Amino acid sequence: MNKQLLLAGTVIALAMNGTAIAQETTDLPRFTADRVFDLEYADDPQISPDGSKIVYVRRSMDRKTDTNRGDLWIIDTESGAHTPLIQGGASAGAPRWDPAGERLLYTTSSEAGPELRVYYIASRQDFSLAQFTEAPRQAVWSPDGTQIALTQFTPATPPNFAKAPSPPKGAEWSPPVKVFDDVTYRFDGAGYLREGADHIYVLSAEGGSPRQITKGEASFGQPEWRGNGTILAVGNMAEDRDLDPIESEIYAVSLENLSVTPLTDRDGPDGSPKVSPNGSRIAYAGYDDEVKSYQITELYVMSADGGEPTHLTADYDRSITSFEWHPSGNSIIAQVENIGDIDLVEIGLNGSRETLATGLGGTSFGRPYAGASFSISGERRPTLAFTTADTAAPADVSVQGRNVEDRQLTNLNADVLPYLDMAEVREITIPSSFDGRDIQAWVAMPPDFVADGSFPMILEIHGGPQTMYGPYFSPEIQRFAAEGYVTVYANPRGSTGYGEAFTQLIDLNYPGEDYDDLMSVTDYLIAENYVDPDRLFVTGGSGGGVLTAWIVGKTNRFAAAATIKPVINWFTMALTGDIGAYVRRHWIRSDPWADPDTYWKFSPISLVGNVTTPTLVMVGEEDWRTPTWEAEQFYGALKLREVETALIRVPGSPHYIAGRPSRLIAKTDNIMGWFEKFDPAKQDNDSDED
């Protein structure tokens, strides 16, 4: 299947040469904030072993609960018949077919707590496998379908240095103290961590009590069956594991005696083990740790009992994000980021490569990040199911294979988006003013756009910073454009998908020349008369928040800025962020107390004395990735300098602010409200009215 088939009718590239371009005006309404609740998208499509059916998670925005919920739907790949399977109750996810294609494993919850359930396709009945007190995750069927392996948090006794007296009956004492003694004692999305570790469990496919098969203080996950008597698991049993958070090995765990045997032993992350169809080989992903801020993830194959691996991607300069064995056992199907797009590539055991599909994406809700998923049937000439998307709509399910017509099977937003006047998104490529490197970007044009140099511009910067934006639908970008902003988003140096060297240009150099890349994109839009140079605005989240705060310290060309969940001070980030150990070891590569100058050099707080741009600061109150005090340091400094600023704290929100629809709306609309306050054109209009 080619990209044109999947993206038919969508303009994804246009060379902008200075010619005035006018959008056709319509009587259709624009994309308003409440339309976020009307959106749906497909996720995690799982094709049956015989390729006849696809079950996927249909995600929608629930107005009553203000959540992104999931229901399970099933599609007949031949006829396209599309019907609900699990719907209306609690949110459901992670569907997985049994080897025979007769049962479906999935996760959900009830009043009693988290559930792992089995659904029988023929009888349309299901049951709960066990009474779980902790959420089961990463569940996988055994090859014969009689057992299920899963990952589950296992509590342990917390440290305690004193025995507290018991309160008298009816007394209301303060809750007991909490004692921590681990390097990582809180994590974004989980809060302050309980004492314990993730471990692998096994239980009967007919239900019962899970049996714990890994033990100890080290966590294990990513279970994979090597036959019916051995589980592969990924973990790090080294004594200094907390200080080297990316390190991991693949272990074989015997179900008979629970012995643990390492199958890999290098310095670097090894994980995602996948056993070949005949059980003779294990494919896995990883790399030799060179202690850099980023390295591409490589693909390897070793014998089922370990041994010297074969490196399949030594000459392939793209990172492997996920993969599955081809049913023949002669190749592997891998998902990769590639120049702003997501491809499926078949990689032979001799290292050969063939692109099978492109145009994947759409599973990242909010901003236009690269995100997709796929699965493969068990036939020797298999069928592929995957999510596809473009700038006009979120993810749908597509299919490609021997016994089906290659096509998109769903159109989940056909009831909404065709009846709105949406922004058109165009692709551009700009040479960087720093060294001439090509910088890929996308521009969302307001519905009434005319290239007359009058429109305001929002430069929206991605986080990571080692991630990738692409030609994907984004409600945040659409909201900005609907309110009249020409909105540009780019992949500056440091972004993924362009090879390891491009991403490593910001290694020990962030922020750095990525600033020049972003200014080059801005300059281009001004030169082409697309935007008013007096009406420039900039925003970004996480790594994009870092760059936003850095930009206002380097230039005053923007009328206003909004830095969202930023790192402002790498010293405090390394000591208190949930990934502080990674920042210290791989990002800065020194101790903050021993090398404060380096930490200061790359901290936006070092430039705060230059800032004159009115700058909004926003952060989630439960953000432990870039904790609240990062944003508050910048806000406090701007206040002391008498620079126009405001602080927005998002109650209950972790780092991912857009995790609930109302938070996404609050984020975008507060940003635009701040920009409007300092828009010279709006101020001129107010003066004229006065």
PDB file of all heavy atoms in Angstrom, residues 470-492:
ATOM      1  N   GLY A 470       4.688  15.442  13.029  1.00  0.00           N
ATOM      2  CA  GLY A 470       4.466  14.972  11.675  1.00  0.00           C
ATOM      3  C   GLY A 470       3.144  15.453  11.124  1.00  0.00           C
ATOM      4  O   GLY A 470       2.430  16.228  11.766  1.00  0.00           O
ATOM      5  N   PRO A 471       2.766  14.993   9.942  1.00  0.00           N
ATOM      6  CA  PRO A 471       1.534  15.422   9.286  1.00  0.00           C
ATOM      7  C   PRO A 471       0.320  14.701   9.867  1.00  0.00           C
ATOM      8  O   PRO A 471      -0.329  13.893   9.194  1.00  0.00           O
ATOM      9  CB  PRO A 471       1.773  15.043   7.823  1.00  0.00           C
ATOM     10  CG  PRO A 471       2.671  13.846   7.900  1.00  0.00           C
ATOM     11  CD  PRO A 471       3.554  14.066   9.087  1.00  0.00           C
ATOM     12  N   TYR A 472       0.030  15.022  11.133  1.00  0.00           N
ATOM     13  CA  TYR A 472      -1.034  14.342  11.850  1.00  0.00           C
ATOM     14  C   TYR A 472      -2.043  15.356  12.379  1.00  0.00           C
ATOM     15  O   TYR A 472      -1.690  16.500  12.684  1.00  0.00           O
ATOM     16  CB  TYR A 472      -0.461  13.531  13.025  1.00  0.00           C
ATOM     17  CG  TYR A 472       0.709  12.679  12.633  1.00  0.00           C
ATOM     18  CD1 TYR A 472       1.962  12.863  13.207  1.00  0.00           C
ATOM     19  CD2 TYR A 472       0.578  11.701  11.648  1.00  0.00           C
ATOM     20  CE1 TYR A 472       3.044  12.098  12.838  1.00  0.00           C
ATOM     21  CE2 TYR A 472       1.656  10.929  11.262  1.00  0.00           C
ATOM     22  CZ  TYR A 472       2.892  11.132  11.861  1.00  0.00           C
ATOM     23  OH  TYR A 472       3.969  10.376  11.468  1.00  0.00           O
ATOM     24  N   PHE A 473      -3.275  14.911  12.516  1.00  0.00           N
ATOM     25  CA  PHE A 473      -4.327  15.780  13.043  1.00  0.00           C
ATOM     26  C   PHE A 473      -4.010  16.158  14.485  1.00  0.00           C
ATOM     27  O   PHE A 473      -3.607  15.321  15.295  1.00  0.00           O
ATOM     28  CB  PHE A 473      -5.667  15.054  12.997  1.00  0.00           C
ATOM     29  CG  PHE A 473      -6.815  15.898  13.505  1.00  0.00           C
ATOM     30  CD1 PHE A 473      -7.498  16.735  12.647  1.00  0.00           C
ATOM     31  CD2 PHE A 473      -7.191  15.850  14.837  1.00  0.00           C
ATOM     32  CE1 PHE A 473      -8.549  17.512  13.114  1.00  0.00           C
ATOM     33  CE2 PHE A 473      -8.233  16.622  15.309  1.00  0.00           C
ATOM     34  CZ  PHE A 473      -8.915  17.459  14.443  1.00  0.00           C
ATOM     35  N   SER A 474      -4.220  17.424  14.810  1.00  0.00           N
ATOM     36  CA  SER A 474      -3.971  17.922  16.162  1.00  0.00           C
ATOM     37  C   SER A 474      -5.071  18.891  16.559  1.00  0.00           C
ATOM     38  O   SER A 474      -5.193  19.965  15.949  1.00  0.00           O
ATOM     39  CB  SER A 474      -2.615  18.622  16.242  1.00  0.00           C
ATOM     40  OG  SER A 474      -2.533  19.426  17.401  1.00  0.00           O
ATOM     41  N   PRO A 475      -5.874  18.558  17.572  1.00  0.00           N
ATOM     42  CA  PRO A 475      -6.899  19.514  18.006  1.00  0.00           C
ATOM     43  C   PRO A 475      -6.302  20.816  18.539  1.00  0.00           C
ATOM     44  O   PRO A 475      -6.918  21.877  18.398  1.00  0.00           O
ATOM     45  CB  PRO A 475      -7.668  18.757  19.096  1.00  0.00           C
ATOM     46  CG  PRO A 475      -6.813  17.600  19.476  1.00  0.00           C
ATOM     47  CD  PRO A 475      -5.978  17.287  18.288  1.00  0.00           C
ATOM     48  N   GLU A 476      -5.109  20.751  19.127  1.00  0.00           N
ATOM     49  CA  GLU A 476      -4.496  21.986  19.614  1.00  0.00           C
ATOM     50  C   GLU A 476      -4.119  22.900  18.450  1.00  0.00           C
ATOM     51  O   GLU A 476      -4.390  24.108  18.472  1.00  0.00           O
ATOM     52  CB  GLU A 476      -3.275  21.667  20.477  1.00  0.00           C
ATOM     53  CG  GLU A 476      -3.616  20.930  21.763  1.00  0.00           C
ATOM     54  CD  GLU A 476      -2.441  20.856  22.727  1.00  0.00           C
ATOM     55  OE1 GLU A 476      -1.612  21.781  22.723  1.00  0.00           O
ATOM     56  OE2 GLU A 476      -2.364  19.878  23.483  1.00  0.00           O
ATOM     57  N   ILE A 477      -3.499  22.351  17.427  1.00  0.00           N
ATOM     58  CA  ILE A 477      -3.128  23.143  16.251  1.00  0.00           C
ATOM     59  C   ILE A 477      -4.380  23.677  15.555  1.00  0.00           C
ATOM     60  O   ILE A 477      -4.433  24.844  15.133  1.00  0.00           O
ATOM     61  CB  ILE A 477      -2.280  22.300  15.278  1.00  0.00           C
ATOM     62  CG1 ILE A 477      -0.977  21.826  15.948  1.00  0.00           C
ATOM     63  CG2 ILE A 477      -1.992  23.079  14.001  1.00  0.00           C
ATOM     64  CD1 ILE A 477      -0.040  22.932  16.370  1.00  0.00           C
ATOM     65  N   GLN A 478      -5.400  22.834  15.430  1.00  0.00           N
ATOM     66  CA  GLN A 478      -6.640  23.263  14.783  1.00  0.00           C
ATOM     67  C   GLN A 478      -7.330  24.381  15.562  1.00  0.00           C
ATOM     68  O   GLN A 478      -7.915  25.298  14.970  1.00  0.00           O
ATOM     69  CB  GLN A 478      -7.582  22.067  14.607  1.00  0.00           C
ATOM     70  CG  GLN A 478      -7.163  21.080  13.538  1.00  0.00           C
ATOM     71  CD  GLN A 478      -7.328  21.630  12.130  1.00  0.00           C
ATOM     72  OE1 GLN A 478      -8.086  22.571  11.885  1.00  0.00           O
ATOM     73  NE2 GLN A 478      -6.596  21.042  11.180  1.00  0.00           N
ATOM     74  N   ARG A 479      -7.270  24.328  16.886  1.00  0.00           N
ATOM     75  CA  ARG A 479      -7.870  25.398  17.693  1.00  0.00           C
ATOM     76  C   ARG A 479      -7.161  26.724  17.434  1.00  0.00           C
ATOM     77  O   ARG A 479      -7.816  27.771  17.275  1.00  0.00           O
ATOM     78  CB  ARG A 479      -7.787  25.052  19.185  1.00  0.00           C
ATOM     79  CG  ARG A 479      -8.855  24.123  19.656  1.00  0.00           C
ATOM     80  CD  ARG A 479     -10.245  24.784  19.635  1.00  0.00           C
ATOM     81  NE  ARG A 479     -10.327  25.911  20.547  1.00  0.00           N
ATOM     82  CZ  ARG A 479     -10.802  27.100  20.211  1.00  0.00           C
ATOM     83  NH1 ARG A 479     -11.228  27.332  18.984  1.00  0.00           N
ATOM     84  NH2 ARG A 479     -10.864  28.081  21.103  1.00  0.00           N
ATOM     85  N   PHE A 480      -5.833  26.711  17.413  1.00  0.00           N
ATOM     86  CA  PHE A 480      -5.096  27.947  17.156  1.00  0.00           C
ATOM     87  C   PHE A 480      -5.471  28.528  15.786  1.00  0.00           C
ATOM     88  O   PHE A 480      -5.731  29.726  15.658  1.00  0.00           O
ATOM     89  CB  PHE A 480      -3.588  27.683  17.203  1.00  0.00           C
ATOM     90  CG  PHE A 480      -3.054  27.319  18.563  1.00  0.00           C
ATOM     91  CD1 PHE A 480      -1.955  26.476  18.681  1.00  0.00           C
ATOM     92  CD2 PHE A 480      -3.632  27.812  19.728  1.00  0.00           C
ATOM     93  CE1 PHE A 480      -1.437  26.147  19.925  1.00  0.00           C
ATOM     94  CE2 PHE A 480      -3.128  27.477  20.978  1.00  0.00           C
ATOM     95  CZ  PHE A 480      -2.035  26.646  21.069  1.00  0.00           C
ATOM     96  N   ALA A 481      -5.485  27.656  14.770  1.00  0.00           N
ATOM     97  CA  ALA A 481      -5.781  28.129  13.417  1.00  0.00           C
ATOM     98  C   ALA A 481      -7.222  28.618  13.301  1.00  0.00           C
ATOM     99  O   ALA A 481      -7.493  29.601  12.590  1.00  0.00           O
ATOM    100  CB  ALA A 481      -5.510  27.012  12.412  1.00  0.00           C
ATOM    101  N   ALA A 482      -8.139  27.948  13.979  1.00  0.00           N
ATOM    102  CA  ALA A 482      -9.543  28.350  13.913  1.00  0.00           C
ATOM    103  C   ALA A 482      -9.760  29.750  14.458  1.00  0.00           C
ATOM    104  O   ALA A 482     -10.689  30.462  14.052  1.00  0.00           O
ATOM    105  CB  ALA A 482     -10.409  27.352  14.674  1.00  0.00           C
ATOM    106  N   GLU A 483      -8.898  30.161  15.395  1.00  0.00           N
ATOM    107  CA  GLU A 483      -9.008  31.504  15.969  1.00  0.00           C
ATOM    108  C   GLU A 483      -8.185  32.528  15.200  1.00  0.00           C
ATOM    109  O   GLU A 483      -8.000  33.659  15.659  1.00  0.00           O
ATOM    110  CB  GLU A 483      -8.581  31.477  17.433  1.00  0.00           C
ATOM    111  CG  GLU A 483      -9.475  30.627  18.323  1.00  0.00           C
ATOM    112  CD  GLU A 483     -10.911  31.127  18.374  1.00  0.00           C
ATOM    113  OE1 GLU A 483     -11.116  32.353  18.248  1.00  0.00           O
ATOM    114  OE2 GLU A 483     -11.825  30.290  18.529  1.00  0.00           O
ATOM    115  N   GLY A 484      -7.678  32.137  14.017  1.00  0.00           N
ATOM    116  CA  GLY A 484      -7.054  33.102  13.134  1.00  0.00           C
ATOM    117  C   GLY A 484      -5.547  33.122  13.134  1.00  0.00           C
ATOM    118  O   GLY A 484      -4.934  33.959  12.457  1.00  0.00           O
ATOM    119  N   TYR A 485      -4.888  32.203  13.859  1.00  0.00           N
ATOM    120  CA  TYR A 485      -3.429  32.178  13.911  1.00  0.00           C
ATOM    121  C   TYR A 485      -2.854  31.257  12.838  1.00  0.00           C
ATOM    122  O   TYR A 485      -3.248  30.080  12.757  1.00  0.00           O
ATOM    123  CB  TYR A 485      -2.952  31.683  15.274  1.00  0.00           C
ATOM    124  CG  TYR A 485      -3.273  32.598  16.430  1.00  0.00           C
ATOM    125  CD1 TYR A 485      -4.435  32.427  17.171  1.00  0.00           C
ATOM    126  CD2 TYR A 485      -2.393  33.633  16.782  1.00  0.00           C
ATOM    127  CE1 TYR A 485      -4.732  33.259  18.242  1.00  0.00           C
ATOM    128  CE2 TYR A 485      -2.681  34.460  17.857  1.00  0.00           C
ATOM    129  CZ  TYR A 485      -3.851  34.274  18.576  1.00  0.00           C
ATOM    130  OH  TYR A 485      -4.142  35.106  19.637  1.00  0.00           O
ATOM    131  N   VAL A 486      -1.938  31.757  12.015  1.00  0.00           N
ATOM    132  CA  VAL A 486      -1.106  30.874  11.197  1.00  0.00           C
ATOM    133  C   VAL A 486      -0.193  30.139  12.175  1.00  0.00           C
ATOM    134  O   VAL A 486       0.572  30.756  12.907  1.00  0.00           O
ATOM    135  CB  VAL A 486      -0.273  31.673  10.183  1.00  0.00           C
ATOM    136  CG1 VAL A 486       0.726  30.753   9.479  1.00  0.00           C
ATOM    137  CG2 VAL A 486      -1.170  32.359   9.166  1.00  0.00           C
ATOM    138  N   THR A 487      -0.320  28.823  12.229  1.00  0.00           N
ATOM    139  CA  THR A 487       0.370  28.040  13.256  1.00  0.00           C
ATOM    140  C   THR A 487       1.388  27.125  12.606  1.00  0.00           C
ATOM    141  O   THR A 487       1.051  26.308  11.751  1.00  0.00           O
ATOM    142  CB  THR A 487      -0.643  27.222  14.075  1.00  0.00           C
ATOM    143  OG1 THR A 487      -1.652  28.100  14.580  1.00  0.00           O
ATOM    144  CG2 THR A 487       0.046  26.526  15.239  1.00  0.00           C
ATOM    145  N   VAL A 488       2.640  27.280  13.012  1.00  0.00           N
ATOM    146  CA  VAL A 488       3.713  26.495  12.413  1.00  0.00           C
ATOM    147  C   VAL A 488       4.343  25.605  13.470  1.00  0.00           C
ATOM    148  O   VAL A 488       4.555  26.027  14.610  1.00  0.00           O
ATOM    149  CB  VAL A 488       4.775  27.403  11.753  1.00  0.00           C
ATOM    150  CG1 VAL A 488       5.411  28.346  12.744  1.00  0.00           C
ATOM    151  CG2 VAL A 488       5.836  26.581  11.021  1.00  0.00           C
ATOM    152  N   TYR A 489       4.588  24.358  13.110  1.00  0.00           N
ATOM    153  CA  TYR A 489       5.300  23.431  13.993  1.00  0.00           C
ATOM    154  C   TYR A 489       6.365  22.712  13.186  1.00  0.00           C
ATOM    155  O   TYR A 489       6.177  22.413  12.008  1.00  0.00           O
ATOM    156  CB  TYR A 489       4.350  22.457  14.683  1.00  0.00           C
ATOM    157  CG  TYR A 489       3.486  21.592  13.794  1.00  0.00           C
ATOM    158  CD1 TYR A 489       3.865  20.291  13.487  1.00  0.00           C
ATOM    159  CD2 TYR A 489       2.262  22.053  13.302  1.00  0.00           C
ATOM    160  CE1 TYR A 489       3.060  19.472  12.710  1.00  0.00           C
ATOM    161  CE2 TYR A 489       1.443  21.242  12.523  1.00  0.00           C
ATOM    162  CZ  TYR A 489       1.856  19.961  12.223  1.00  0.00           C
ATOM    163  OH  TYR A 489       1.058  19.150  11.448  1.00  0.00           O
ATOM    164  N   ALA A 490       7.515  22.484  13.810  1.00  0.00           N
ATOM    165  CA  ALA A 490       8.695  22.034  13.071  1.00  0.00           C
ATOM    166  C   ALA A 490       9.413  20.927  13.818  1.00  0.00           C
ATOM    167  O   ALA A 490       9.168  20.667  14.991  1.00  0.00           O
ATOM    168  CB  ALA A 490       9.640  23.218  12.848  1.00  0.00           C
ATOM    169  N   ASN A 491      10.325  20.277  13.105  1.00  0.00           N
ATOM    170  CA  ASN A 491      11.243  19.304  13.694  1.00  0.00           C
ATOM    171  C   ASN A 491      12.661  19.864  13.612  1.00  0.00           C
ATOM    172  O   ASN A 491      13.405  19.566  12.669  1.00  0.00           O
ATOM    173  CB  ASN A 491      11.160  17.960  12.967  1.00  0.00           C
ATOM    174  CG  ASN A 491       9.919  17.178  13.340  1.00  0.00           C
ATOM    175  OD1 ASN A 491       9.366  17.351  14.423  1.00  0.00           O
ATOM    176  ND2 ASN A 491       9.473  16.312  12.447  1.00  0.00           N
ATOM    177  N   PRO A 492      13.063  20.685  14.584  1.00  0.00           N
ATOM    178  CA  PRO A 492      14.422  21.215  14.572  1.00  0.00           C
ATOM    179  C   PRO A 492      15.433  20.126  14.881  1.00  0.00           C
ATOM    180  O   PRO A 492      15.072  18.993  15.242  1.00  0.00           O
ATOM    181  CB  PRO A 492      14.386  22.270  15.681  1.00  0.00           C
ATOM    182  CG  PRO A 492      13.358  21.751  16.640  1.00  0.00           C
ATOM    183  CD  PRO A 492      12.311  21.102  15.774  1.00  0.00           C
TER     184      PRO A 492
END
